[in-house]
Amino acid sequence: MEFRDVVRRRRMVRNYDPGRPVPPEIVDELLSHATHAPSAGFSQGWAFLMLDEPETVGRFWTATTPPGSGLPSGWLAGMRAAPVIIVPLSCKDVYLDRYAEADKGWTDRDETRWPVPYWHIDAGMASLLMLLTAVDRGLGACFFGIPPEQIASFRGEFGVPEAYTPIGAITVGYRAPDRRSPSLKRGRRGTDLVVHRGRW
Ligand SMILES: Cc1cc2nc3c(=O)[nH]c(=O)nc-3n(C[C@H](O)[C@H](O)[C@H](O)COP(=O)(O)O)c2cc1C
């Protein structure tokens, strides 16, 4: 697929064909492309938890769904149909350590030096590469947040070290008809609104 078509066709898919598994070589390609994302100081302080078995995917939803959310319906029912979940995680310590190395020299590991948390940015860049790769391979994918109050149970369920923060999660699978997100009613903000040429 032409790159411009991949970019224009990408949208978050929130319902999947549960009977159609994702070929392992495509999952491997998603993960491999993720590692081609840029990263500050080439720190690569990211990690990816890949779940592709019904049992582990089920445990993900149990650990991350707030109690009392009721029976799976709507959003959750569609998302639960995804055969693959990839959780991108960021590790701040890798960045603080990397930038304390001789060529960077921030030996005090002071976090106030960081204009923005590059560790989350880099994991986000890797996530976008996975979303685009999914489109290129005829798949659907959706990046979504894990509720903050569920992070501890997610970590506990999958043995994720405290130093790693899930920046969200990505469902991957073959698309099934889904409802458009109500957020899309906002409309895309065009370049005339968001680009400031020459000065603000
Ligand atoms: C950081 C981030 C967090 C998001 N969290 C959620 C989420 O929790 N649930 C969800 O259904 N979509 C989530 N989305 C998807 C957005 O709703 C979606 O990208 C936006 O409405 C534009 O639609 P499109 O990506 O299909 O073009 C998230 C997207 C981003 C980038």
Side-chain angles (χ1 to χ4, degrees):
M1 199 185 286
E2 288 285 333
F3 180 71
R4 61 174 66 86
D5 294 328
V6 171
V7 172
R8 295 217 172 125
R9 282 190 198 178
R10 189 216 55 78
R11 70 174 191 79
M12 300 302 186
V13 171
R14 299 180 179 84
N15 191 22
Y16 301 88
D17 182 345
R20 205 169 159 201
V22 180
E25 63 271 19
I26 299 188
V27 177
D28 287 347
E29 186 177 87
L30 293 175
L31 294 164
S32 162
H33 283 186
T35 67
H36 282 260
S39 67
F42 210 19
S43 303
Q44 304 165 80
W46 48 47
F48 306 93
L49 177 72
M50 194 280 283
L51 310 172
D52 65 349
E53 286 168 6
E55 191 266 331
T56 48
V57 168
R59 285 200 285 119
F60 171 87
W61 290 112
T62 304
T64 60
T65 305
S69 300
L71 290 171
S73 64
W75 185 92
L76 188 55
M79 294 289 271
R80 282 191 82 127
V84 175
I85 297 177
I86 298 173
V87 182
L89 304 107
S90 67
C91 182
K92 179 171 68 182
D93 291 340
V94 172
Y95 289 77
L96 300 185
D97 290 344
R98 167 69 186 106
Y99 275 69
E101 287 175 20
D103 61 326
K104 298 288 185 188
W106 294 357
T107 49
D108 55 10
R109 299 175 96 252
D110 184 353
E111 276 181 52
T112 60
R113 293 178 187 282
W114 296 82
V116 289
Y118 284 171
W119 37 97
H120 296 326
I121 291 197
D122 293 351
M125 294 211 186
S127 300
L128 181 57
L129 286 182
M130 289 191 274
L131 295 175
L132 294 176
T133 303
V135 176
D136 189 47
R137 292 307 215 108
L139 291 157
C142 182
F143 182 100
F144 61 101
I146 298 176
E149 66 277 14
Q150 299 303 126
I151 300 287
S153 62
F154 162 77
R155 275 211 184 93
E157 189 64 46
F158 294 102
V160 175
E162 280 293 324
Y164 282 81
T165 301
I167 62 152
I170 302 173
T171 44
V172 184
Y174 287 95
R175 295 169 62 154
D178 67 343
R179 248 180 302 151
R180 281 168 63 85
S181 163
S183 303
L184 294 176
K185 287 199 201 85
R186 297 167 54 83
R188 188 172 305 284
R189 303 191 73 211
T191 52
D192 52 329
L193 289 174
V194 298
V195 178
H196 306 270
R197 297 177 198 269
R199 61 163 291 153
W200 190 270

